[in-house]
Structure formats: structure tokens, C-alpha cells
């Protein structure tokens, strides 16, 4: 029995090909599974029309992907994330987060097209490949910037204040030491002057 393949088949051939197969194989498998239909003039015309439609659809999808690539390729996107004092993120940046970020910028991208780790957990710059359609690919940069939580910011401020206090204390200690040294020098100088006067008086007497 001759049938027309509605779908490409690994053993029978590409979509639209006319193949001769056993009646039972056609009636019990290929036709019920919607893999093929009987080879009739009407069915052949229908498949050819569908093929033309698929080609037009494919061309449109490629053109659409190329337009997106032209606008997004090489573009840099920034995202702020809460981090701890060591720069580690609270939580992570997921593919869905990136999809939402791109959507806010006017780009509708399927997260399945992203070549990126499932979770980003540190600040930094990440190169992300977008498989837009078939061989149409684009590259973007995701810059993850850290933002301390209110609690960590307050703790950091306290630590800064403590550090400033320590520096002030050290400066005060240094000043006190300098004053002591200056006073000691002055005292030594006075003693020497007194001794010199006594010697002069002794010589004069």
C-alpha cells in the first residue's frame, strides 16, 4: 500500500515522501498514529499545501529570531540582589528571574533557550547564550550587583563605627606618647640648663 508520510520517520524517510508499505503496517500503525495517510491525489495536494505553509511559517520564525538577535545580541542587563557581607547572594538568580528581567526590557525569551547554570549564587558578570531559533543564537551579559540587607548594613555600619573608635583611640595614644616624649625632652633640657647654671655659679664663686 502506498502512503504519504505526514511526519519524518527514521526508517521510511522525510515528511511528504510517498512510500510503499505492507497493508497491515499502514492500517494498524502508520495511519492510526497520524504518521502517514493514503496516497490519493487529494491527500497529496493537501500535504503539499501544508508543506508550503510550514516553509512559510519557518521563514517567519527565522526572521523573527533574527530581529530579536539584532536588538539583544551583546546587550548588558543589570540585576540587584540581596547579599551577605561575603558577597554571597541570599537565595539565587534563576532562569525565570532572567526571563522576567528580559520581559521588563521588552524581550520575550523562552527560559529553555538559555544556556546558563540553573542558579546564580554570586555577584559578578555572566555570559549567557540564547538559542533563539534553530541556528539563530545571541549572547548577552548579566551583571549581578550586590545590595546589603538592612540588617547587614546596620551591622556593617556598627563595625565601621567600632573601627573608627579604635583608630581614634590609637591616635589618642600616639598623641599622648608624643606629649610624654616632648615633656621628657623639655625636662631633660631644663635639667641640663640648671646644671650648667650651677657650674657657672660655682666657677664664678
Amino acid at each position: 500500500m502506498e502512503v504519504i508520510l505526514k511526519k519524518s520517520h527514521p526508517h521510511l524517510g522525510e515528511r511528504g515522501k510517498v512510500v510503499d508499505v505492507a497493508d497491515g503496517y499502514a492500517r494498524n500503525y502508520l495511519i492510526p498514529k497520524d504518521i502517514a495517510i493514503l496516497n490519493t491525489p487529494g491527500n497529496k495536494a493537501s500535504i503539499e499545501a501544508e508543506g508550503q505553509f510550514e516553509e512559510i511559517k519557518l521563514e517567519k520564525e527565522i526572521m523573527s529570531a533574527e530581529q530579536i538577535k539584532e536588538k539583544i545580541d551583546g546587550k548588558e542587563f543589570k540585576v540587584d540582589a540581596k547579599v551577605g557581607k561575603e558577597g554571597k547572594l541570599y537565595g539565587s538568580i534563576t532562569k525565570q528571574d532572567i526571563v522576567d528581567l528580559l520581559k521588563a526590557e521588552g524581550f520575550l525569551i523562552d527560559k529553555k533557550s538559555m544556556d546558563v547554570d540553573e542558579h546564580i549564587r554570586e555577584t559578578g558578570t555572566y555570559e549567557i547564550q540564547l538559542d533563539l531559533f534553530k541556528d539563530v543564537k545571541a549572547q548577552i551579559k548579566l551583571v549581578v550587583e550586590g545590595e546589603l540587607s538592612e540588617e547587614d548594613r546596620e551591622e556593617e555600619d556598627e563595625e565601621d563605627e567600632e573601627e573608627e573608635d579604635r583608630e581614634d583611640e590609637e591616635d589618642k595614644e600616639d598623641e599622648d606618647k608624643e606629649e610624654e616624649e616632648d615633656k621628657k625632652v623639655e625636662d631633660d633640657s631644663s635639667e641640663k640648663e640648671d646644671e650648667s647654671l650651677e657650674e657657672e655659679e660655682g666657677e664664678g664663686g
Side-chain angles (χ1 to χ4, degrees):
M1 177 184 291
E2 284 192 347
V3 295
I4 307 170
L5 295 178
K6 294 181 68 176
K7 301 175 183 176
S8 295
H9 190 280
H11 303 300
L12 299 177
E14 296 294 318
R15 180 186 182 282
K17 182 180 179 181
V18 177
V19 293
D20 192 1
V21 296
D23 289 5
Y25 185 49
R27 296 185 188 283
N28 298 326
Y29 180 73
L30 296 178
I31 294 174
K33 294 288 186 181
D34 202 33
I35 297 172
I37 54 176
L38 290 174
N39 181 21
T40 66
N43 285 342
K44 193 168 187 179
S46 176
I47 289 291
E48 288 175 354
E50 286 180 11
Q52 291 175 349
F53 173 77
E54 288 296 328
E55 287 179 7
I56 293 171
K57 182 182 177 184
L58 180 63
E59 288 176 4
K60 285 183 177 179
E61 288 178 334
I62 292 174
M63 187 181 298
S64 176
E66 290 286 2
Q67 289 174 346
I68 294 173
K69 176 181 178 179
E70 186 176 334
K71 293 178 181 177
I72 202 173
D73 194 34
K75 197 171 176 65
E76 183 177 284
F77 298 89
K78 292 184 180 180
V79 59
D80 292 325
K82 298 291 184 184
V83 297
K85 289 182 292 183
E86 283 79 30
K88 299 286 186 181
L89 271 60
Y90 287 127
S92 61
I93 305 295
T94 66
K95 285 185 177 182
Q96 187 58 51
D97 292 325
I98 301 171
V99 167
D100 294 339
L101 175 65
L102 297 180
K103 184 177 180 181
E105 295 289 334
F107 299 103
L108 298 178
I109 305 295
D110 187 345
K111 67 181 179 181
K112 292 178 182 177
S113 72
M114 293 181 187
D115 183 10
V116 64
D117 291 338
E118 188 62 30
H119 299 288
I120 295 173
R121 302 183 185 278
E122 296 182 5
T123 57
T125 300
Y126 297 85
E127 298 279 349
I128 298 176
Q129 179 173 294
L130 304 177
D131 299 324
L132 299 174
F133 185 74
K134 292 189 178 293
D135 294 331
V136 183
K137 304 178 188 297
Q139 198 86 7
I140 65 170
K141 284 184 180 179
L142 180 70
V143 181
V144 182
E145 296 183 338
E147 185 180 73
L148 284 175
S149 67
E150 188 66 30
E151 183 179 340
D152 283 330
R153 191 181 294 114
E154 289 176 358
E155 187 176 336
E156 191 175 74
D157 289 342
E158 289 176 3
E159 289 177 354
D160 289 341
E161 288 177 6
E162 290 175 359
E163 181 65 26
E164 288 178 5
D165 290 341
R166 279 196 297 271
E167 290 177 356
D168 289 342
E169 288 178 5
E170 289 174 359
D171 291 341
K172 183 71 168 56
E173 288 176 0
D174 291 340
E175 289 176 4
D176 291 343
K177 284 181 181 178
E178 287 179 4
E179 287 180 3
E180 287 178 5
E181 289 175 359
D182 290 341
K183 189 173 184 306
K184 186 178 180 182
V185 169
E186 288 178 5
D187 291 343
D188 290 344
S189 179
S190 297
E191 286 178 6
K192 286 180 180 179
E193 287 180 3
D194 291 341
E195 289 174 359
S196 178
L197 286 171
E198 288 177 359
E199 287 177 1
E200 288 178 1
E201 289 175 358
E203 290 175 358

